[in-house]
Amino acid sequence: MYKAVVPWSAAVEQLVKQHLEMDHPKVKLLQESYKLMEMKKLLRGYGIREVNLLNKEIMRVIRYILKQDIPSSLEDALKVAQGYRLSDDEIYSLRIIDLIDREQGGDCLLLLKSLPAAEAEKTAERVIIWARLALQEEPDGSEEDKAWRISVAKTSVDILKILCDIRKDNLQKKDESEEFLKRFQMVASLQENFEVFLPFEDYSNTALVAGLREQYIKAQEAAQAEHKHRGPPGPTPARGTHLSIKSKLHRQALALQVSEQELEAELTLRALKDGKVVAALSKCRDLLKHYCNADTGRLLFVVCQKLCQMLADDVPMVAPGGLSLPSEIHDLACHAVTICSPDYLLDVLELSKYTLTAVELCRQCQMDDCGMLMKAALGTHKDPYEEWSFSDFFSEDGIVLESQVVLPVIYELISSVMPPAESKRHPLDSISLPYCSTSEGENRILPLVSSISALLRSLQECSQWELALRFVVGSFGTCLQHSMSNVMSISLSKQLLGKNTLANSRHIIMELKEKSITFIRENATTLLHKVFNCRVVDLDLALAYCTLLPQKDVFDNLWKFIDKAWQNYDKILALSLVGSQLANLYQDIETGLWFHELSIDAKWGIRLGKLGISFQPAFRQNFLTKKDLIKALVNNIDMDTSLILEYCSTFQLDSDAALRLFIETLLRNTSSQSQGDAAPESTKHQHSKLLAKATELVPLLKNTKDLVISLSEILYKLDPYDYEMIDVVLKVLEQANEKITSVNINQALNLLRHLKSYRRISPPVDHEYQYALEHMITLPPAAHTRLPFHLILFGTAQNFWKILSSELSEESLPTLLLIAKLMKFSLDTLYVSTAKHLFEKNLKPKLLKSAQARSSTLMSKEVDKLMQTLESYLLSIVNPEWAVAIAISLTQEVPEGPFKMSSLKFCLYLAERWLQNIPPQDETCEKAKALQKKLCLQVRLSGTEAVLIAHKLNDQEYLRVIGKPAHLIVSLYEHPSISERLCTTSGKDYPDIHTAAKEIAEVNEVNLEKIWDMLLEKWLCPSTVPSEKASEFFELEEDEVLHRVVYLLQARPVDYCSRMLFVFATSATSTLGMRQLTFAHKARALQCLLYLADKETIESLFKKPIKEMKSYLKCITFLASFETLNIPITYELFCNSPKEGMIKGLWKNHSHEPMAVRLVAELCLEYKIYDLQLWNGLLQKLLGFNMIPYLRKVLSCISSIHSLWQVPYFSKAWQRVIQIPLLSASCPLRPSQLADCCDSLVAILECPVSDDLDMMGVAKQYVQLDLPAFALTCLTLMPHSEKRHQQIKNFLNSCDARIILQQIEEHMNTGQLAGFSHQIGSLVLNHVVNKKEFGILAKTKYFQLLKCHVINTGNVTELVNYLANDFSVDEASALINEYSKHCGKPVPADAAPCEILQTFLGGS
């Protein structure tokens, strides 16, 4: 092993390990040798070959290994240390120091945290010791040295934190570590933030640290001064520098472990020392806000002392103009009281008391905007003027003090009472005058006397007696308290202070006492005068001032004040209250009673004075005088009832007599006023107030009998038209609840309520004038709008009808009925007269107007309302026969219409009601029955006629059968408008047949459903063979009967109609009757179904697509035609047989029948059979049977089939279809003939072989019918151009252009002819232009058309010449202007018409 070369080979390594595992005596030696070889191997890895090292060399080797800073350096260093028996913590500390030198603080902490607690603690201690020693070296000022020191300090802080955490259970070591932590934190902060690099121990030098802080404070002050010199605050560089310095100052203080509060306190005192009051006050507020503790309280106390001393010495200070320094000082003192320590409490309290006096003096030195003293406390939101003028507390009027005189004196006094402490204070020691100790030969009171005297003299001169009184009491109390607190024991005080000192003190105090008492009494008398002369007397303060005077003097003064007060009851009340309380204090019962009675009289004087009633006659008088005053009280309606009761109770008077007098007085006064010329609104308001007051008074009476008697007399004497006053008296009587035989209160009140709601429409009658004459009153203006209350209530029935007969009308009836019912008079005559009046005046004119013109909805509503009113009157008549007779007589004057019908129904209702109320054996029963029967018939006839009129169906043919309602309904469903509304889509207003039929059936009680079923069976399944027109194929709009069926079915639900038609189309027999259904019936039913129902409904019924159903309809239509021709054929046979053979067979056997010819034509068209010989015969037969419309339809259908143009009769058929309608027409043309002529012209346009037609012949026929426009159209369709042009020219020469243009406008502007209208019009207009016959169209509506034509064609010259010569230059220039715009060359707007015309003609 020793001879093996290092490093060992694998074989040697294995051999050594085998021997190490053996058990023999040399194993330990072998192990040591193995370790030595391992050490050699480790050191050789770092280039070290020497193994035998000394201690110094070992440490150097370890440091060398650690300096290599490879991952295994620490582990290798620990192996070397273990090999040489060195401690691990020493290696760890070296590693951490090395990392600190490399500025790898994070790795240091990770390594330290990875160690066991004991190992970490030792390592940390070694590192901290090293750091203290390293930082103790003198810094060289280089940047590298600064960075290294900062790194060492910061890392040491982190290591100390870990060490404190490790030692948390060992308090002693933990405190030691925390102390080092604070020091290293301070060092780190000063180095990093302030670049203060000192030896480590110098950082603990207090003087040096204070010098640093002073340096930064001066820098801050310099920055502030520079900023103030530069300008106002803002985001400027100077302000930023100031903030930076201030922040640095606070951070340095924090680093030096000086609290922010201590720093701010020091800055506050420095600011105050420099005279910067605002800055000092601001810092004090900040300290109060953030550090509200005893230290702040002590600082505030010191600041207040210094400020007082500065004000006393008149030291210059920097303060804004609006700052009230005395208030600020007092505010600081008050805050100091709340937070100071107990040692300072007494001094601060005394300081706050005297600073308050200074504030009050300062306020007396100021003037507000109104020229009055500022009495409101600063800092409040109240108006100082309002606070001074309207406060309940006494505020003395005085002369404004001079601040230059009084303020220095008071602050000098404060400085004397509260001198600054010259040495360190002891616990519970005090420096203020009341609580401080004195010594022999010392007298601290005597220096104050001059200041007190000077201040009192100023206050007296300015009439500030209240302030002077408070100041005297306070200052004397301070002196007395100082003297007494130092003389707790006479014998002891003589030993401590000496006899002379004690005697001098006593003499001064006694002298001050005498002067103070004299001053206080004089002052109190003066203040009493001021207090009682105030608008609002401060009673508590007055009583207090009274207690300062002797008893006899004070009462004499009070009675003198009362005698001088005259009628000032407020002042007398205040004096009496103070005197009463003062007598109570002195226990003088008799004087107290005098003042109490005086206070009662004074209170009543005040209360009655507010109501305008003088209490002077009864003031301090006897019982009778106060009773006479009630008459004055009750004369006022606004008098409070409780006031009268209280007055009676106070002076022991009869309350019932007073209340009764009050009510009677109010009623008499109000009645006399209402008879005057007062306005109605004010009178109404006065009456409501009177009623409310009387209602309030009556319950308060103990006995109402006397009141009722007097009110009954008043009621009979009242004006009969003064409803308001009557209402008041009646309601008061009702409330009194006494039985009265002369008046029914409820009846009178109800009558009065009805009369109030009624307005008279006729002048007063003679009876009213007679009543007024008897009672010696004049009729008031209200007599023309009101009915007399007394004449109706207390008069007879005869008087009632005399008054009300002239008042009868529709509007007045409700009220008059209520009055009649209330007075128990007969009502039938009233209803009859009112009904006649309503009909003649209102209803009849509206009915006549409605019958003459089409009435509006509003008028119908008005008539309905009047009818209802009239019916209500008639129903209210007790005699039924009379009611029926009146109703019939009025109905006879109603014009025909719906209102006539409703009137007759109402008459019938009255007759039936009359009949129901008559016993069968009564002789009038037959009369009532006959009347009912007659009315019933008349109702039906009139109702039917009204329905016809309402639906505009009142033709004579319908009016003749109104007595046969069923026949009338059938006739209505045959109305021609039914077919029109289904064939056209125009918005024409057609009569509603369904509604008319329903209303007629309802009036006549006819079963409309039965009539509908009968008509359906008649029209849907006719029993006769259909005519030629009825056999039209596939054209519902041409079958008028089917139109009626469709319209009839539209009145029923679609679902019901669909199912019924489905049954008709698929069944063998009809559901309406047991009639056999033919193919014609089924086809008609299916046609209606396809028209009425939608696709989904049809497919759901037949279970087949709609296309198949339409095909099925065509088949059964053909089968119906076969059936009409009596040719038996089934549906299956028809579908399966060859169509061409069937058609030819039909033609062969039935070509002589028109129906068969039509059927053959339809079959050929449907199944596309185009045999030329067959079609030639078809066309001849259709023409032979004169089936011209159908032939034209067939020709239009086959025109698109070119093979059929070869039919020999094809061209002739077209010629005949065109000419036959023209040949059958004659002038003047009927509308149907004109329509046929238009159709012929359309047929010419549709004809594919128009070249073969005789256009000249057709044109001549049109000329014969006075249709030149149609003739000109035929000429334009001639095939040969030369002949055509000549014929057109000759034709235009012979015709009037205006007629042609008129016919083009009327007949050729719509439909298929619209395309030719412009062409024909252009021909006519060109002819006019060419012939220069402009005068033909001049002054017609076609002249504008001519203008547009020449502009579009560009041929305007001739027309311009014509207009310029025959009309005016303006017309010609206007045409030129339009033409120029059309050509895109508009004429200048300012050009004259002559210039435009000359330019145009010159250019053309």
Side-chain angles (χ1 to χ4, degrees):
M1 185 175 69
Y2 292 111
K3 294 181 179 180
V5 180
V6 179
W8 291 344
S9 61
V12 174
E13 184 76 26
Q14 185 177 5
L15 180 63
V16 171
K17 287 183 178 180
Q18 289 177 357
H19 283 83
L20 287 173
E21 291 174 358
M22 295 179 181
D23 188 12
H24 55 88
K26 292 187 178 182
V27 169
K28 290 184 178 181
L29 180 60
L30 185 60
Q31 287 177 348
E32 292 178 0
S33 300
Y34 182 74
K35 288 180 181 180
L36 182 60
M37 295 305 295
E38 286 289 328
M39 184 66 67
K40 287 182 179 181
K41 182 179 177 181
L42 189 150
L43 292 176
R44 286 177 66 87
Y46 289 96
I48 300 173
R49 298 182 178 276
E50 183 62 37
V51 180
N52 298 320
L53 301 173
L54 300 177
N55 289 336
K56 292 182 180 180
E57 293 173 343
I58 293 171
M59 294 304 298
R60 190 162 53 250
V61 167
I62 291 173
R63 288 191 180 93
Y64 174 76
I65 293 173
L66 292 173
K67 288 288 184 181
Q68 301 307 308
D69 196 23
I70 58 177
S72 61
S73 293
L74 179 60
E75 184 179 356
D76 293 343
L78 289 171
K79 289 180 180 179
V80 172
Q82 290 174 2
Y84 290 98
R85 292 181 175 85
L86 297 177
S87 60
D88 291 345
D89 57 278
E90 190 173 356
I91 305 304
Y92 288 130
S93 62
L94 291 175
R95 176 59 177 172
I96 290 173
I97 291 169
D98 182 61
L99 291 174
I100 291 173
D101 289 338
R102 297 174 185 273
E103 297 184 1
Q104 297 178 358
D107 295 339
C108 297
L109 299 179
L110 291 175
L111 175 58
L112 191 62
K113 291 178 181 178
S114 65
L115 299 177
E119 200 76 27
E121 183 179 2
K122 294 178 181 179
T123 304
E125 287 179 350
R126 285 177 175 272
V127 173
I128 295 304
I129 292 171
W130 169 83
R132 290 170 59 191
L133 295 174
L135 293 176
Q136 183 60 34
E137 296 178 0
E138 191 71 29
D140 59 6
S142 64
E143 294 298 327
E144 293 80 2
D145 183 64
K146 291 179 181 179
W148 177 78
R149 285 176 174 275
I150 291 171
S151 176
V152 170
K154 291 174 67 175
T155 308
S156 300
V157 169
D158 295 333
I159 292 172
L160 280 168
K161 289 180 181 178
I162 296 173
L163 184 59
C164 290
D165 186 58
I166 295 172
R167 291 177 171 178
K168 60 185 176 182
D169 296 330
N170 190 337
L171 297 180
Q172 182 179 357
K173 289 187 176 183
K174 180 184 178 183
D175 294 340
E176 180 183 350
S177 301
E178 289 178 349
E179 184 65 27
F180 278 114
L181 175 61
K182 290 178 182 178
R183 291 182 64 184
F184 272 99
Q185 284 176 338
M186 180 181 68
V187 171
S189 177
L190 290 174
Q191 288 180 347
E192 184 177 10
N193 298 325
F194 304 100
E195 295 187 357
V196 177
F197 295 95
L198 301 172
F200 186 77
E201 295 301 329
D202 289 352
Y203 287 105
S204 302
N205 189 337
T206 306
L208 185 59
V209 171
L212 290 173
R213 189 164 69 254
E214 181 70 18
Q215 177 184 350
Y216 277 100
I217 291 174
K218 289 181 178 179
Q220 181 199 15
E221 292 175 349
Q224 287 177 346
E226 181 182 2
H227 173 64
K228 184 176 181 181
H229 177 71
R230 289 187 178 184
T236 60
R239 182 172 178 81
T241 305
H242 162 60
L243 294 175
S244 175
I245 294 175
K246 184 177 180 180
S247 175
K248 250 183 183 181
L249 181 62
H250 283 274
R251 285 188 284 113
Q252 187 209 40
L254 184 62
L256 296 174
Q257 298 180 2
V258 175
S259 67
E260 186 174 357
Q261 182 180 1
E262 294 173 351
L263 177 63
E264 289 297 324
E266 185 176 352
L267 293 175
T268 301
L269 295 176
R270 287 179 64 89
L272 199 59
K273 181 180 178 182
D274 296 337
K276 300 175 182 178
V277 178
V278 177
L281 292 175
S282 176
K283 290 184 180 297
C284 289
R285 294 191 197 99
D286 293 339
L287 285 170
L288 272 173
K289 182 178 180 181
H290 300 291
Y291 303 101
C292 191
N293 51 35
D295 292 337
T296 302
R298 181 176 56 81
L299 174 66
L300 296 180
F301 175 66
V302 174
V303 169
C304 290
Q305 277 187 301
K306 290 185 177 294
L307 286 172
C308 291
Q309 186 65 46
M310 293 169 69
L311 289 172
D313 297 340
D314 199 13
V315 176
M317 291 179 285
V318 180
L323 181 67
S324 177
L325 197 54
S327 297
E328 294 291 340
I329 296 172
H330 177 64
D331 190 34
L332 291 179
C334 292
H335 282 296
V337 171
T338 61
I339 60 176
C340 69
S341 63
D343 295 340
Y344 285 84
L345 182 58
L346 295 176
D347 293 341
V348 178
L349 279 172
E350 194 68 18
L351 178 63
S352 65
K353 181 174 68 174
Y354 277 94
T355 53
L356 177 60
T357 303
V359 170
E360 291 173 348
L361 288 172
C362 180
R363 290 174 186 171
Q364 300 303 326
C365 298
Q366 302 178 22
M367 294 282 289
D368 65 352
D369 295 336
C370 301
M372 299 185 181
L373 291 175
M374 294 281 288
K375 297 292 181 180
L378 296 179
T380 62
H381 299 285
K382 293 185 178 180
D383 182 11
Y385 178 76
E386 179 182 353
E387 181 77 11
W388 182 86
S389 302
F390 302 105
S391 174
D392 290 340
F393 298 102
F394 171 70
S395 182
E396 185 181 11
D397 296 331
I399 302 172
V400 178
L401 298 173
E402 295 183 9
S403 57
Q404 298 86 352
V405 176
V406 296
L407 290 183
V409 175
I410 186 63
Y411 283 110
E412 182 180 354
L413 179 63
I414 292 173
S415 299
S416 300
V417 174
M418 197 72 54
E422 299 178 355
S423 59
K424 186 177 180 180
R425 292 180 56 145
H426 300 288
L428 298 178
D429 194 6
S430 179
I431 61 172
S432 60
L433 181 62
Y435 310 106
C436 69
S437 59
T438 184
S439 58
E440 185 176 0
E442 183 182 12
N443 192 334
R444 296 186 61 180
I445 296 176
L446 196 57
L448 302 179
V449 174
S450 59
S451 298
I452 294 172
S453 300
L455 189 56
L456 283 177
R457 188 164 47 253
S458 298
L459 294 175
Q460 285 175 322
E461 290 173 355
C462 294
S463 190
Q464 297 288 348
W465 298 102
E466 183 185 18
L467 195 57
L469 178 62
R470 288 159 57 187
F471 178 70
V472 165
V473 173
S475 58
F476 176 71
T478 299
C479 296
L480 181 62
Q481 189 174 358
H482 170 72
S483 177
M484 295 303 296
S485 62
N486 283 282
V487 188
M488 303 302 292
S489 172
I490 299 296
S491 58
L492 183 59
S493 296
K494 287 181 180 180
Q495 295 177 9
L496 293 175
L497 302 176
K499 291 182 179 180
N500 293 333
T501 302
L502 195 60
N504 288 336
S505 176
R506 185 177 183 278
H507 174 72
I508 293 171
I509 290 298
M510 294 305 294
E511 187 178 354
L512 288 176
K513 173 190 172 186
E514 293 299 329
K515 291 181 179 180
S516 298
I517 289 174
T518 303
F519 181 82
I520 287 171
R521 288 181 177 178
E522 294 174 356
N523 203 345
T525 304
T526 305
L527 285 172
L528 275 176
H529 282 277
K530 283 192 173 186
V531 170
F532 285 119
N533 285 327
C534 287
R535 186 182 60 84
V536 178
V537 179
D538 190 342
L539 300 178
D540 295 333
L541 185 61
L543 180 62
Y545 288 154
C546 286
T547 58
L548 299 177
L549 299 173
Q551 179 178 354
K552 185 177 182 303
D553 295 342
V554 70
F555 282 128
D556 291 341
N557 287 333
L558 290 177
W559 286 117
K560 289 178 183 178
F561 292 155
I562 291 170
D563 293 336
K564 294 178 181 179
W566 187 234
Q567 294 189 45
N568 189 349
Y569 295 113
D570 291 316
K571 183 175 181 180
I572 294 171
L573 178 61
L575 288 164
S576 61
L577 292 176
V578 172
S580 179
Q581 294 181 17
L582 192 63
N584 189 29
L585 290 175
Y586 290 127
Q587 297 182 356
D588 190 345
I589 299 174
E590 184 180 358
T591 305
L593 288 175
W594 292 345
F595 279 112
H596 177 67
E597 292 176 0
L598 181 64
S599 66
I600 292 174
D601 281 6
K603 289 177 182 178
W604 279 107
I606 294 170
R607 295 177 68 178
L608 297 180
K610 293 178 180 178
L611 300 174
I613 301 172
S614 175
F615 190 69
Q616 183 60 28
F619 183 64
R620 300 175 72 177
Q621 299 298 322
N622 57 18
F623 162 80
L624 295 175
T625 309
K626 289 182 170 60
K627 182 179 179 181
D628 293 338
L629 194 62
I630 293 179
K631 294 179 181 179
L633 295 178
V634 299
N635 275 324
N636 189 355
I637 191 172
D638 295 323
M639 180 59 63
D640 189 4
T641 309
S642 60
L643 182 67
I644 296 176
L645 294 176
E646 187 179 352
Y647 183 84
C648 294
S649 175
T650 302
F651 300 110
Q652 298 179 358
L653 304 175
D654 185 4
S655 60
D656 269 18
L659 293 175
R660 188 166 60 251
L661 179 62
F662 191 15
I663 296 172
E664 294 172 2
T665 304
L666 293 179
L667 292 176
R668 289 193 180 94
N669 292 344
T670 309
S671 177
S672 60
Q673 291 175 9
S674 62
Q675 291 178 359
D677 298 331
E681 293 182 0
S682 61
T683 304
K684 184 177 180 181
H685 177 67
Q686 193 174 19
H687 286 143
S688 62
K689 285 178 63 178
L690 173 61
L691 179 60
K693 178 60 70 174
T695 306
E696 178 187 348
L697 294 174
V698 171
L700 302 176
L701 290 170
K702 300 172 184 176
N703 187 356
T704 58
K705 186 175 181 181
D706 295 335
L707 176 65
V708 169
I709 294 172
S710 61
L711 291 182
S712 299
E713 296 175 357
I714 292 174
L715 177 63
Y716 281 98
K717 296 178 182 179
L718 290 176
D719 181 4
Y721 303 98
D722 190 359
Y723 294 164
E724 290 77 14
M725 197 64 203
I726 295 171
D727 184 45
V728 171
V729 175
L730 288 175
K731 288 183 177 178
V732 174
L733 285 171
E734 182 183 29
Q735 190 179 14
N737 199 19
E738 290 284 345
K739 292 183 179 180
I740 308 172
T741 57
S742 59
V743 182
N744 187 337
I745 300 299
N746 291 330
Q747 185 185 31
L749 286 172
N750 290 330
L751 174 62
L752 188 63
R753 186 174 68 253
H754 298 326
L755 292 177
K756 281 183 177 179
S757 63
Y758 178 74
R759 181 177 179 83
R760 191 169 192 169
I761 60 176
S762 63
V765 298
D766 295 339
H767 189 64
E768 295 177 61
Y769 285 103
Q770 182 180 355
Y771 177 86
L773 186 61
E774 290 175 357
H775 290 79
M776 293 182 292
I777 60 173
T778 57
L779 286 180
H784 294 274
T785 57
R786 292 181 173 184
L787 296 176
F789 173 81
H790 293 70
L791 291 177
I792 296 175
L793 181 65
F794 303 120
T796 61
Q798 184 179 3
N799 295 337
F800 174 77
W801 289 115
K802 285 181 180 179
I803 296 171
L804 297 189
S805 58
S806 60
E807 295 293 317
L808 197 60
S809 69
E810 177 190 356
E811 293 78 10
S812 64
L813 181 63
T815 305
L816 298 181
L817 281 172
L818 294 174
I819 295 173
K821 288 179 182 179
L822 183 65
M823 303 309 296
K824 300 179 181 179
F825 298 133
S826 175
L827 306 179
D828 276 5
T829 304
L830 196 61
Y831 282 119
V832 170
S833 301
T834 307
K836 289 181 178 180
H837 172 82
L838 175 65
F839 182 79
E840 293 295 335
K841 298 296 182 181
N842 295 342
L843 183 57
K844 186 176 179 180
K846 291 186 183 295
L847 289 174
L848 293 174
K849 185 177 180 181
S850 175
Q852 292 171 1
R854 187 174 181 180
S855 60
S856 62
T857 305
L858 180 61
M859 180 176 289
S860 299
K861 290 182 178 179
E862 292 177 356
V863 173
D864 289 338
K865 186 176 180 181
L866 290 172
M867 290 287 287
Q868 292 175 5
T869 305
L870 183 63
E871 290 172 3
S872 66
Y873 295 163
L874 296 176
L875 288 172
S876 301
I877 298 175
V878 177
N879 189 339
E881 184 178 2
W882 201 6
V884 173
I886 295 299
I888 292 174
S889 65
L890 297 179
T891 303
Q892 290 174 355
E893 301 183 39
V894 177
E896 293 294 336
F899 297 109
K900 178 90 171 184
M901 177 63 184
S902 60
S903 299
L904 287 170
K905 285 183 178 180
F906 181 69
C907 292
L908 180 61
Y909 168 74
L910 291 176
E912 291 174 350
R913 192 180 70 158
W914 178 27
L915 185 60
Q916 290 173 0
N917 294 330
I918 301 174
Q921 63 274 13
D922 196 301
E923 57 183 9
T924 59
C925 184
E926 292 299 327
K927 181 180 178 181
K929 287 182 180 179
L931 180 62
Q932 181 194 18
K933 186 176 180 181
K934 180 181 177 181
L935 287 173
C936 185
L937 177 61
Q938 192 174 357
V939 164
R940 290 183 179 181
L941 294 175
S942 180
T944 304
E945 184 179 358
V947 171
L948 294 175
I949 293 172
H951 293 279
K952 301 177 183 179
L953 296 169
N954 51 335
D955 299 337
Q956 287 300 322
E957 59 176 315
Y958 297 132
L959 292 175
R960 283 194 296 268
V961 293
I962 58 175
K964 300 175 181 179
H967 180 66
L968 176 61
I969 292 172
V970 173
S971 300
L972 290 175
Y973 278 109
E974 293 175 352
H975 197 275
S977 67
I978 293 176
S979 181
E980 291 179 15
R981 74 184 77 195
L982 293 179
C983 294
T984 61
T985 58
S986 64
K988 188 176 179 181
D989 185 17
Y990 294 106
D992 190 349
I993 304 298
H994 289 310
T995 305
K998 289 178 182 178
E999 292 177 0
I1000 292 171
E1002 181 181 356
V1003 169
N1004 294 277
E1005 299 179 358
V1006 176
N1007 189 347
L1008 185 60
E1009 295 285 341
K1010 188 175 180 181
I1011 297 175
W1012 282 350
D1013 292 342
M1014 181 269 292
L1015 291 176
L1016 282 176
E1017 184 178 9
K1018 175 183 176 182
W1019 292 336
L1020 190 60
C1021 307
S1023 58
T1024 59
V1025 177
S1027 65
E1028 178 187 336
K1029 191 172 182 180
S1031 62
E1032 280 295 332
F1033 300 99
F1034 314 106
E1035 298 295 339
L1036 176 62
E1037 61 273 9
E1038 296 183 10
D1039 192 343
E1040 293 184 359
V1041 178
L1042 276 185
H1043 294 166
R1044 298 171 193 164
V1045 174
V1046 170
Y1047 183 75
L1048 195 61
L1049 291 172
Q1050 286 177 346
R1052 298 187 178 187
V1054 177
D1055 183 64
Y1056 169 78
C1057 297
S1058 302
R1059 294 185 181 278
M1060 185 187 71
L1061 293 173
F1062 171 74
V1063 172
F1064 269 87
T1066 57
S1067 302
T1069 58
S1070 170
T1071 57
L1072 301 175
M1074 298 309 293
R1075 180 180 299 177
Q1076 189 72 24
L1077 294 175
T1078 64
F1079 282 116
H1081 299 159
K1082 294 180 180 181
R1084 293 165 70 81
L1086 189 56
Q1087 282 180 347
C1088 294
L1089 180 60
L1090 289 173
Y1091 183 86
L1092 290 171
D1094 55 8
K1095 175 183 175 183
E1096 290 75 12
T1097 304
I1098 295 172
E1099 290 179 351
S1100 65
L1101 288 172
F1102 289 95
K1103 311 299 182 185
K1104 293 180 181 179
I1106 188 70
K1107 187 176 182 181
E1108 292 185 15
M1109 294 312 303
K1110 291 181 179 180
S1111 176
Y1112 175 71
L1113 174 61
K1114 291 180 181 179
C1115 291
I1116 63 173
T1117 305
F1118 291 137
L1119 290 174
S1121 300
F1122 278 107
E1123 195 175 43
T1124 305
L1125 294 171
N1126 293 322
I1127 301 174
I1129 186 172
T1130 62
Y1131 175 74
E1132 292 77 10
L1133 179 61
F1134 176 80
C1135 292
N1136 296 329
S1137 62
K1139 300 299 183 293
E1140 185 172 358
M1142 181 177 62
I1143 293 170
K1144 289 183 177 180
L1146 180 63
W1147 176 255
K1148 180 180 179 181
N1149 297 320
H1150 297 278
S1151 60
H1152 59 282
E1153 299 181 44
M1155 175 68 73
V1157 173
R1158 293 172 68 92
L1159 179 58
V1160 170
E1162 289 293 338
L1163 288 170
C1164 289
L1165 291 173
E1166 178 68 22
Y1167 297 108
K1168 300 180 181 178
I1169 306 301
Y1170 304 134
D1171 184 85
L1172 298 181
Q1173 184 179 358
L1174 177 62
W1175 273 103
N1176 191 56
L1178 268 174
L1179 296 178
Q1180 292 181 18
K1181 285 291 182 180
L1182 290 172
L1183 190 60
F1185 291 138
N1186 199 25
M1187 302 168 68
I1188 301 302
Y1190 183 71
L1191 176 59
R1192 183 188 164 197
K1193 174 186 173 184
V1194 171
L1195 288 173
S1196 298
C1197 292
I1198 65 176
S1199 293
S1200 61
I1201 305 168
H1202 299 284
S1203 61
L1204 294 181
W1205 293 6
Q1206 303 175 10
V1207 173
Y1209 207 76
F1210 185 74
S1211 299
K1212 186 176 181 180
W1214 273 107
Q1215 185 76 33
R1216 297 296 293 166
V1217 164
I1218 293 168
Q1219 285 186 330
I1220 286 175
L1222 302 180
L1223 293 172
S1224 61
S1226 61
C1227 292
L1229 294 174
R1230 296 190 302 274
S1232 61
Q1233 291 177 340
L1234 181 61
D1236 291 340
C1237 292
C1238 292
D1239 292 340
S1240 294
L1241 188 59
V1242 173
I1244 292 172
L1245 299 177
E1246 292 177 349
C1247 179
V1249 290
S1250 59
D1251 292 346
D1252 299 336
L1253 299 179
D1254 182 11
M1255 289 298 180
M1256 281 297 297
V1258 176
K1260 289 180 181 179
Q1261 289 177 336
Y1262 276 125
V1263 171
Q1264 293 174 359
L1265 297 174
D1266 291 338
L1267 295 173
F1270 289 11
L1272 184 60
T1273 304
C1274 294
L1275 293 177
T1276 59
L1277 296 174
M1278 291 177 64
H1280 303 291
S1281 60
E1282 294 181 1
K1283 185 178 181 180
R1284 180 176 68 242
H1285 292 155
Q1286 187 61 38
Q1287 291 292 339
I1288 291 172
K1289 183 177 180 182
N1290 295 336
F1291 180 78
L1292 289 173
N1293 288 332
S1294 63
C1295 293
D1296 190 348
R1298 291 173 295 182
I1299 297 176
I1300 298 175
L1301 292 174
Q1302 180 182 356
Q1303 290 183 356
I1304 291 172
E1305 181 183 6
E1306 292 176 354
H1307 308 310
M1308 298 181 65
N1309 274 341
T1310 58
Q1312 293 173 285
L1313 299 177
F1316 274 82
S1317 62
H1318 179 70
Q1319 181 182 349
I1320 304 302
S1322 297
L1323 283 174
V1324 176
L1325 295 174
N1326 284 331
H1327 177 74
V1328 172
V1329 173
N1330 294 333
K1331 300 286 287 184
K1332 300 182 182 179
E1333 297 177 347
F1334 303 115
I1336 298 174
L1337 301 180
K1339 297 182 181 180
T1340 66
K1341 61 181 179 180
Y1342 305 111
F1343 194 71
Q1344 184 63 32
L1345 187 65
L1346 178 63
K1347 287 183 180 180
C1348 295
H1349 177 74
V1350 298
I1351 288 173
N1352 292 330
T1353 58
N1355 191 11
V1356 298
T1357 305
E1358 298 298 335
L1359 184 58
V1360 168
N1361 288 327
Y1362 169 76
L1363 291 174
N1365 295 329
D1366 293 5
F1367 281 87
S1368 65
V1369 176
D1370 293 339
E1371 290 284 343
S1373 64
L1375 178 61
I1376 296 170
N1377 198 2
E1378 291 181 18
Y1379 177 69
S1380 301
K1381 288 182 180 178
H1382 178 74
C1383 296
K1385 300 177 181 179
V1387 176
D1390 56 348
C1394 296
E1395 295 177 1
I1396 296 173
L1397 182 62
Q1398 291 175 1
T1399 304
F1400 179 77
L1401 294 177
S1404 61

